[in-house]
């Protein structure tokens, strides 16, 4: 008897008509074979194998370099269930429209069957998915980003309990590019793009959009969050999950190296993009990292901003849309040292530092195995996950949002996450640097109605006996000359130390209208080029600015409609009242 997987693969093959079907086992030999074929086809270039063993460069179609949110759909039976935060098509219409494109799309190509596990192989929280793709580049990247191959088939057995993902490069035309999710069927169809966020279906499509839908049904959380552990000199380790929008430094924060001034501290990486969090028997929240690799932004990455990732990506990695030096090493803006005198840019054209264009695309990426990262936590594959004591919500905001502040309680924390906004980045197509609301950094990734998502967060809080403390952070405050007020990177540990102090009830704070703020004396700034005045500015509450922000919150909640829980409106009204009264926080805080 064929298994449900075999039946589905057969059905998709009949429809897309590949010349060949290859079942991926995830082995080294298979990886080498696929690599060889891509080198021969000219879709991969070997990097300098001495300096970068087993590393390759891929150049994408120049119109296919980032997530395309306007071409991404959530296709629920009821439009309202997808919510105003998602583009929607009726499932029947989406299947007709995309079906016409998938019909025969794999002719002349091989269909790769890539079974994968999201999460540690033996975790009860892990899930199996299978991606069918006609892109060998996707297949080899999936091997880095997930536990792909035999282990997944073993876990699946003859079961039908897997997320189905069908992907084809199609003709790569943005006119015929669609990323469609059918959460009710746990099905993803993606055509017309080879870009990671659109084409590695395990990542944003499964681990966030489909998983968030499933998580709501099953009572857990699938979030766009890094997870790290901070070990203090005493040996105590505290785990923190932190949501930031794309390209806001999650990878750098997750593997931060304490500066020399922070002696005895150690940061352990559990994940750098996605966290799945479940309520444990002890009433705490536990997080696993569903992924096995990092798909990081290259520009700006160097041995000051992220020495750990630099030590990770120098072997067994795939670089996409970076530049190539004459030594066949990768180059991107903001890499260590001075730029090469000449290079080949991300589009394969000659480049010099005098060129008016960037050498690497601003959203050029590396795909690299997590296990190679020197700071991977010994707990990163713990099937139970790690207990989360604090959740941070952080955006890229030049103004208003203080460096750090703490919510009064879970509901207020959900409100802080819900009202998060951030300046847009190159990770998605469209204008860069525009402030947009991005609740919990999930606007592009929540697979259902944002109002229901807020309600789900509130419900999870009710079930937690020991909920994590919730904080807002902002490393990106600027002065009016456009200079950052806070040094960021490794120095962010100083902020995380305050967070830990609050979690364990070891530091006091000032109660303000917006939340608990650090007393300037409780943030260690010794040795930093941050004056007491700058620190005061970083921790100030700008009443007029916040009253304006409250108006923006009203527009945000109104835009999401009736499903926004009353509690969110109450929090907004209460914030306004506190600001107007100049009052302290409620006494229960
Ligand atoms: C990513 C993203 O690639 O958020 O992680 O765009
Ligand atoms: Mn991301």
């Amino acid at each position: 008897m064929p298994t449900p997987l075999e039946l589905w693969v057969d059905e998709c093959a009949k429809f897309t008509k590949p010349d060949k079907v290859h079942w991926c086992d995830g082995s080294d030999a298979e990886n080498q074979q696929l690599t060889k074929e891509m080198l021969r086809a000219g879709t991969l270039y070997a990097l300098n194998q001495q300096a970068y063993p087993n590393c390759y460069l891929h150049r994408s179609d120049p119109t296919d370099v980032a997530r395309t949110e306007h071409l991404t759909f959530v296709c629920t039976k009821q439009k309202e269930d997808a919510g105003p935060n998602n583009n929607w098509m009726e499932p029947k219409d989406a299947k007709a429209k995309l079906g016409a494109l998938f019909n025969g799309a794999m002719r002349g190509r091989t269909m790769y069957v890539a079974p994968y596990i999201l999460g540690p192989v033996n975790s009860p929280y892990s899930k199996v998915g299978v991606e069918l793709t006609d892109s060998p580049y996707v297949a080899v990247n999936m091997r880095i980003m997930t536990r792909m191959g035999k282990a997944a088939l073993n876990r699946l057995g003859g079961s039908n309990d897997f997320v189905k993902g069908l992907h084809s490069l199609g003709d790569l035309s943005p006119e015929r590019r669609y990323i469609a999710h059918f959460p009710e069927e746990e099905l993803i169809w993606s055509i017309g793009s080879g870009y990671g966020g659109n084409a590695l279906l395990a990542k944003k499509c499964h681990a966030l959009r489909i998983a968030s839908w499933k998580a709501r049904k099953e009572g857990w959380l699938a979030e766009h969050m890094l997870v790290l552990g901070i070990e203090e000199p005493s040996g105590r380790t505290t785990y923190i999950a932190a949501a930031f929008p794309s390209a806001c430094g999650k990878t750098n924060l997750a593997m931060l190296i304490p500066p020399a001034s922070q002696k005895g501290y150690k940061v352990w990486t559990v994940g750098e993009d996605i966290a799945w969090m479940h309520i444990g028997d002890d009433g705490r929240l536990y997080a696993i990292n569903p992924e096995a690799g990092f798909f990081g932004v290259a520009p700006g990455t160097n041995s000051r901003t992220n020495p750990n990732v630099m030590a990770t990506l120098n072997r067994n990695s795939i670089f996409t849309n970076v530049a190539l030096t004459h030594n066949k090493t990768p180059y991107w803006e903001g890499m260590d040292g001075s730029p090469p005198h000449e290079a080949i840019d991300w589009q394969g054209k000659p480049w010099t530092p005098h060129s008016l264009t960037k050498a690497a695309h601003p959203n050029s990426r590396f795909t690299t195995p997590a296990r190679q990262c020197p700071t991977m936590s010994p707990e990163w594959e713990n099937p139970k996950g790690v207990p989360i004591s604090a959740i941070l919500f952080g955006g890229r905001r030049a103004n208003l949002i203080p460096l750090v502040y703490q919510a009064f309680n879970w509901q207020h924390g959900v409100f802080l996450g819900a009202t998060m906004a951030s300046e847009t980045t190159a990770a998605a197509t469209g204008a860069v640097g525009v402030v947009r609301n991005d609740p919990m950094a999930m606007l592009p990734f929540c697979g259902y109605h944002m109002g229901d998502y807020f309600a789900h967060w509130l419900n999870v809080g009710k079930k937690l006996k020991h909920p994590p403390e919730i904080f807002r952070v902002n490393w990106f405050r600027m002065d009016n000359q456009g200079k950052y007020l806070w040094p960021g990177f490794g120095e962010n540990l100083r902020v995380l130390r305050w967070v830990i102090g609050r979690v364990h009830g070891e530091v006091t704070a000032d109660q303000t209208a917006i939340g608990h703020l650090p007393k300037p004396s409780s943030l260690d700034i010794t040795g930093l080029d941050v004056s007491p005045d700058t620190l005061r500015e970083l921790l100030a509450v700008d009443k007029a600015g916040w009253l304006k922000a409250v108006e923006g919150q009203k527009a945000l909640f109104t835009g999401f409609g009736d499903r926004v829980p009353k509690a969110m409106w109450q929090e907004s009204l209460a914030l306004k009242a506190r600001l107007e009264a100049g009052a302290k926080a409620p006494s229960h805080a």
Side-chain angles (χ1 to χ4, degrees), residues 67 203-204 208 224 244-247 250 273-274 365 445:
R67 283 184 292 100
K203 194 171 179 61
K204 303 303 185 182
L208 286 175
H224 193 205
F244 291 80
S246 308
K250 280 200 295 300
D273 193 43
I274 299 175
R365 299 277 182 149
F445 307 121

Side-chain angles (χ1 to χ4, degrees), residues 169-219:
L169 294 172
D171 64 4
L172 286 178
S173 162
E175 307 294 311
R176 286 174 288 283
R177 179 176 299 158
Y178 295 97
I179 300 100
H181 305 72
F182 306 88
E184 284 135 337
E185 300 170 57
E186 300 192 5
L187 175 69
I188 306 153
W189 278 10
S190 167
I191 189 156
S193 170
Y195 172 73
N198 296 332
L200 306 181
L201 301 186
K203 194 171 179 61
K204 303 303 185 182
C205 301
H206 179 170
L208 286 175
R209 296 194 192 97
I210 299 288
S212 61
W213 172 283
K214 237 171 132 67
R216 175 166 171 252
K217 268 203 324 208
E218 296 171 2

Side-chain angles (χ1 to χ4, degrees), residues 125 277-287 384 386-389 410 459-469:
Y125 305 131
M277 301 193 285
H278 289 77
I279 302 171
D281 295 339
D282 58 359
R284 298 189 69 184
L285 197 58
Y286 283 81
K384 194 171 148 202
V386 295
I388 298 298
S389 298
W410 182 269
N459 284 335
V460 166
K462 286 183 195 132
K463 292 190 196 128
L464 286 167
K465 232 186 304 151
H466 306 288
E469 294 292 327

Side-chain angles (χ1 to χ4, degrees), residues 406 408 412 509-517 519 541 543 573-589:
Q406 182 187 9
F408 300 129
H412 183 230
D510 285 332
Q511 290 198 3
T512 74
I514 62 166
H516 296 292
L517 270 152
K519 292 181 187 302
V541 179
K543 180 174 162 183
L573 288 172
L575 168 61
K576 186 169 182 210
R578 288 195 301 269
L579 288 162
E580 280 170 345
K584 302 256 174 188
S587 55
H588 68 269

